[in-house]
Amino acid sequence: MLRVPSTNSDSLQKRRAAGADVRVVHLQMSVSSWPNPIRKKEVIMMGIGFETTAPTIAATVEHCRKKGIKNFSVFSVHKIVPPALCALIADPLLNVDGFLCPGHVSTMIGSDAYKMIIGSESGCRNHRI
């Protein structure tokens, strides 16, 4: 996400190079153990991923609430798999013959979530990204 350009060609990487405090976090940090300079700043965590990522971000939010940490926010850009598949199916420039779906997501959401893609794109009309 550091290199993904915004609509004005800005990016988090460019902001960091200009002096912004942008950090990559692979695991949710224990917010209560952050050093004092960070605890005094507004911290915004970008929550990225699909169905399986959201619970860990929610747990971090709950941890902050319980600890009384008020300078922590989440910018959630989570997606769910079925609408993403529908977007691919609906693209007239793509000729998709099949999908290799993430097993961990599929285990959580079950096979019924994929019934709308069997046969045609008509089942995808009610899904939006």
Side-chain angles (χ1 to χ4, degrees):
M1 293 307 299
L2 283 174
R3 293 187 180 119
V4 175
S6 67
T7 53
N8 65 356
S9 297
D10 202 359
S11 70
L12 291 172
Q13 186 173 20
K14 288 179 183 178
R15 291 291 177 129
R16 182 165 61 180
D21 187 2
V22 176
R23 300 172 189 215
V24 174
V25 179
H26 296 284
L27 298 172
Q28 286 70 35
M29 298 167 23
S30 174
V31 180
S32 55
S33 69
W34 288 347
N36 280 333
I38 296 174
R39 279 192 263 161
K40 293 178 182 176
K41 296 179 181 181
E42 177 64 23
V43 175
I44 302 170
M45 176 182 234
M46 183 182 290
I48 304 166
F50 286 89
E51 289 89 340
T52 55
T53 310
T56 60
I57 302 298
T60 303
V61 171
E62 181 67 8
H63 172 79
C64 290
R65 187 191 65 75
K66 285 180 179 177
K67 293 283 187 178
I69 299 168
K70 300 192 183 298
N71 65 326
F72 180 80
S73 302
V74 173
F75 174 53
S76 176
V77 288
H78 290 92
K79 301 292 183 196
I80 55 176
V81 171
L85 297 179
C86 284
L88 293 171
I89 290 169
D91 188 329
L93 299 176
L94 297 178
N95 187 13
V96 178
D97 291 323
F99 292 103
L100 294 177
C101 295
H104 61 298
V105 171
S106 299
T107 297
M108 288 184 68
I109 66 175
S111 61
D112 284 350
Y114 300 107
K115 285 185 177 178
M116 83 304 191
I117 65 171
I118 297 171
S120 72
E121 67 180 78
S122 62
C124 288
R125 288 194 181 117
N126 294 328
H127 288 83
R128 296 178 187 213
I129 290 188

